[in-house]
Amino acid sequence: MDNLIFGRYYPGNSFVHRLDPRLKLIINIMFIVLIFLLNNWYDYLILGVVVLTGVVLSGVSIRFFIKGLRPMLLLILFTVALQLFFTTGKTVYWQWGWLAISQEGLINASYIAVRFLLIIFMSTLLTLTTQPLEIADGLEYLIRPLKMIKFPVNDVALMLSIALRFVPKLMDETTKIMNAQRARGVDFNNGSILKRVKALIPLLIPLMMSSLDIATDLTTAMISRGYRDGEGRSRFRVLKWRRRDSLTLLFFVVIAAVVII
Amino acid sequence: MDITFEHVNYTYQPNSPLATLGLKDINLKFTSGSYVAIIGQTGSGKSTLLQHLNALLRPSSGRVLIGDQAVMTTTKNKELHDLRRSVGLVFQFPESQLFEETVLKDVAFAPKNFGKSEAEATEIARDTLRLVGIDESLEDKMPFDLSGGQMRRVAIAGVLAMQPEVLVLDEPTAGLDPLGRQQIMQLFQRIHEERGITIILVTHQMDDVVAYADQAVVMSHGEIAKVGTPAEVFADLDWLTAHNLELPSTGRLVQRLQQKGFKFTRMPLTVNELLADLEPQLKRGSQLG
């Protein structure tokens, strides 16, 4: 679990750290849409440079990002392999039964790989430089228009910030229970698939039970501190949109326009 | 079975910007049959040290000798299974590890993992439950229906059922009422005496250290600050304050008596020692008065 940097916050005070979380969310969404619209190498090169600039500006070492890719590597390879072997095309380089590598497959596969890389880098950049609570605040702001269609924005925002707050706690709890069960002779890493799935039961049941306990305690504590529902609350953390946010957004919109044209 | 630490270092998240040092050059020997207390502030590396005792963590450098098996950075997981049977680890709030449908099954879980047959495991589980004072009528209940104190005992029984040679306890009485605390501490004392099991106890209860341990290890910032008998460790008041450690309750009383003019040649650790020191002084006092 130590290698998982996806979704973890890296404390710092760089340019990227200080940007408004709403901006970072908007850019991330735009970026993902953009990635799927594009399919030529020059555009990807430009986006790659943008992502790299972001990484450099964030002050987080690039090696850290690359290490964070490791848990996703299997997924990427799997998707790439699917694309590679199952895309049918005209120019076939190699064939064995219904498996074939064609020129189109090769191109598709490399697009997929680049898309994966860029999206993972960009979203890791978001989570590494933005505190979970900031992300929750930003999201709440962005989905606020949905109130008009009776969407429970406040409740969703509350659920989101509580969920984010308890991710590390549940991770710790998971490690602790795993260790406790390993000390009682459970082997999580060896044996057949059936055996491994069975080994998860001593982990999952206590985890569920402790989640229920945490939920009960938390609701009691919230009610006793005067929480009724999200309507009519004032806020302690207020997001501030500064000039550098506008400039960054402008820069990104220009880049997007350039690559689309 | 002795456990020896030889120049053990441990780093969390090595080779990343978040790397933090857990242990620094630990050299330590836990002799077979001893009762060792490990004390120190929160975050001083006590729990990290504990997890080395049954190889849940492997040292980043140096080695840990558990019995005659050496655990190093390169040791494979497969070689550690048997070793875990001989060192039982009771984590903080161990009741969160219960999961089976019945109390009996949960206690039998560990022996089954270590190769005992269903019947043998159940037999061992029954005996262990009696040992920790859980009544036969509770055997078929769901563990989650029990009270907090009972759950704690069942969880401890679950570890004892492995019949370990070394029992490692991480704050086993945290969050229990005074009676529950005393009962559990006495249970460990009994197991220690009757079965000759080595006990390694992490605690913030200095009274427990004085009452039960025959050796105390003080940890500070991932290093060993002091090793000795409880009397040796608690002898130097200033040193204890400098390391943010509390005195046992007798020690605190002694401090106040000293301010009133009583003299002590050594630091009395138990009530009986304190009385032995006070009696002559009180007699003299009454003769003068």
Side-chain angles (χ1 to χ4, degrees):
Chain A
M1 215 139 290
D2 273 358
N3 282 328
L4 202 68
I5 67 155
F6 200 69
R8 190 179 283 186
Y9 175 65
Y10 182 86
N13 193 25
S14 69
F15 178 76
V16 186
H17 278 88
R18 277 177 284 140
L19 287 176
D20 194 292
R22 285 169 290 182
L23 171 80
K24 287 189 255 187
L25 280 169
I26 295 172
I27 290 188
N28 254 283
I29 296 164
M30 279 172 70
F31 189 84
I32 290 168
V33 175
L34 209 55
I35 288 265
F36 285 105
L37 286 178
L38 301 179
N39 48 10
N40 81 70
W41 288 111
Y42 294 110
D43 295 341
Y44 281 133
L45 190 69
I46 295 175
L47 288 188
V49 171
V50 171
V51 171
L52 274 183
T53 321
V55 171
V56 171
L57 282 178
S58 73
V60 185
S61 125
I62 185 127
R63 249 188 288 155
F64 201 50
F65 278 83
I66 293 170
K67 228 182 113 188
L69 275 179
R70 224 178 281 161
M72 315 286 281
L73 208 58
L74 206 68
L75 183 71
I76 300 178
L77 284 181
F78 179 69
T79 324
V80 166
L82 277 187
Q83 285 289 330
L84 190 61
F85 290 118
F86 291 101
T87 311
T88 44
K90 285 182 200 120
T91 344
V92 175
Y93 297 128
W94 176 86
Q95 186 150 23
W96 183 79
W98 36 269
L99 289 178
I101 295 180
S102 67
Q103 194 183 9
E104 286 81 357
L106 217 55
I107 293 172
N108 270 347
S110 39
Y111 276 157
I112 289 282
V114 171
R115 283 175 177 169
F116 256 117
L117 279 183
L118 288 177
I119 290 177
I120 291 173
F121 264 56
M122 198 63 171
S123 42
T124 310
L125 188 63
L126 169 78
T127 51
L128 277 183
T129 59
T130 323
Q131 292 196 29
L133 274 179
E134 285 186 304
I135 298 184
D137 285 347
L139 262 181
E140 183 187 359
Y141 185 90
L142 292 179
I143 60 172
R144 212 179 276 171
L146 292 181
K147 252 185 196 169
M148 284 187 295
I149 56 163
K150 296 260 171 69
F151 185 78
V153 169
N154 292 315
D155 297 343
V156 170
L158 180 76
M159 265 160 54
L160 200 67
S161 49
I162 291 177
L164 284 171
R165 156 69 186 80
F166 279 96
V167 166
K169 183 166 163 65
L170 285 176
M171 294 263 268
D172 287 351
E173 188 75 17
T174 311
T175 321
K176 203 199 113 181
I177 296 172
M178 257 177 119
N179 276 340
Q181 306 296 25
R182 278 204 290 172
R184 292 211 283 170
V186 178
D187 193 347
F188 288 104
N189 301 323
N190 294 308
S192 64
I193 291 187
L194 187 70
K195 228 178 133 191
R196 281 194 214 192
V197 171
K198 268 191 176 166
L200 285 180
I201 296 173
L203 173 66
L204 290 182
I205 292 178
L207 208 55
M208 292 284 270
M209 292 308 284
S210 81
S211 308
L212 286 177
D213 282 348
I214 293 173
T216 322
D217 289 350
L218 186 69
T219 29
T220 319
M222 279 173 68
I223 293 171
S224 60
R225 292 170 74 183
Y227 181 86
R228 299 240 169 97
D229 65 41
E231 229 46 69
R233 289 175 74 209
S234 58
R235 24 180 66 249
F236 175 65
R237 297 180 308 270
V238 183
L239 297 172
K240 267 200 196 118
W241 186 273
R242 295 198 173 77
R243 210 173 65 179
R244 59 163 171 267
D245 297 315
S246 309
L247 288 177
T248 315
L249 187 60
L250 186 68
F251 168 76
F252 202 80
V253 169
V254 170
I255 295 274
V258 167
V259 288
I260 286 178
I261 297 162
Chain B
M1 195 177 69
D2 294 354
I3 300 181
T4 314
F5 283 64
E6 291 173 352
H7 300 288
V8 171
N9 286 289
Y10 185 78
T11 319
Y12 280 101
Q13 298 186 295
N15 309 322
S16 89
L18 300 175
T20 40
L21 199 63
L23 294 177
K24 231 186 283 176
D25 196 33
I26 302 285
N27 290 291
L28 201 59
K29 186 171 183 181
F30 298 98
T31 325
S32 187
S34 58
Y35 197 134
V36 186
I38 302 178
I39 52 183
Q41 270 177 280
T42 331
S44 56
K46 301 182 302 269
S47 298
T48 315
L49 184 78
L50 284 197
Q51 293 182 45
H52 280 84
L53 290 168
N54 75 344
L56 282 175
L57 295 178
R58 272 159 287 189
S60 304
S61 70
R63 58 178 201 162
V64 182
L65 286 167
I66 304 175
D68 48 14
Q69 187 166 8
V71 180
M72 285 167 291
T73 320
T74 49
T75 311
K76 295 264 181 333
N77 254 325
K78 275 196 180 136
E79 304 165 29
L80 302 174
H81 191 67
D82 290 337
L83 184 152
R84 295 219 168 104
R85 196 203 62 79
S86 39
V87 184
L89 202 58
V90 178
F91 281 86
Q92 276 173 45
F93 299 102
E95 52 273 29
S96 66
Q97 74 197 35
L98 301 174
F99 72 99
E100 283 277 18
E101 305 142 58
T102 70
V103 166
L104 192 65
K105 273 189 186 173
D106 202 282
V107 178
F109 179 66
K112 270 195 284 180
N113 281 332
F114 289 109
K116 292 268 193 283
S117 74
E118 187 82 39
E120 276 176 306
T122 313
E123 187 64 27
I124 295 172
R126 283 225 166 80
D127 291 346
T128 321
L129 280 170
R130 287 307 90 71
L131 183 71
V132 300
I134 292 286
D135 199 69
E136 206 166 327
S137 59
L138 297 177
E139 273 175 8
D140 292 325
K141 280 205 165 187
M142 281 257 286
F144 306 110
D145 290 340
L146 303 181
S147 75
Q150 287 170 330
M151 275 167 86
R152 180 77 56 99
R153 283 168 199 229
V154 171
I156 291 171
V159 175
L160 283 175
M162 294 159 37
Q163 303 174 317
E165 292 169 50
V166 180
L167 187 62
V168 182
L169 309 158
D170 193 354
E171 296 189 47
T173 60
L176 289 185
D177 58 81
L179 182 66
R181 214 151 71 194
Q182 205 189 352
Q183 285 175 338
I184 288 205
M185 287 313 294
Q186 275 165 3
L187 161 72
F188 293 137
Q189 182 64 16
R190 215 171 68 223
I191 299 168
H192 174 64
E193 279 167 3
E194 285 173 9
R195 304 193 174 180
I197 290 179
T198 315
I199 292 194
I200 300 169
L201 168 78
V202 164
T203 186
H204 290 289
Q205 308 286 331
M206 299 306 158
D207 287 351
D208 287 346
V209 178
V210 171
Y212 301 108
D214 42 47
Q215 209 188 14
V217 175
V218 184
M219 292 201 62
S220 169
H221 301 291
E223 288 177 288
I224 292 176
K226 208 173 211 176
V227 182
T229 63
E232 285 163 0
V233 167
F234 289 115
D236 188 345
L237 276 182
D238 297 333
W239 187 86
L240 288 169
T241 336
H243 285 79
N244 288 323
L245 288 172
E246 230 182 280
L247 277 176
S249 46
T250 49
R252 291 200 295 272
L253 182 58
V254 165
Q255 263 184 314
R256 290 174 65 179
L257 288 169
Q258 273 173 334
Q259 286 163 4
K260 298 277 181 210
F262 286 90
K263 300 266 184 298
F264 295 91
T265 45
R266 50 161 192 172
M267 175 67 82
L269 291 175
T270 62
V271 178
N272 285 335
E273 281 177 33
L274 178 65
L275 283 177
D277 283 1
L278 274 183
E279 227 169 356
Q281 299 191 47
L282 284 173
K283 270 190 193 141
R284 230 179 303 137
S286 61
Q287 279 161 10
L288 289 174

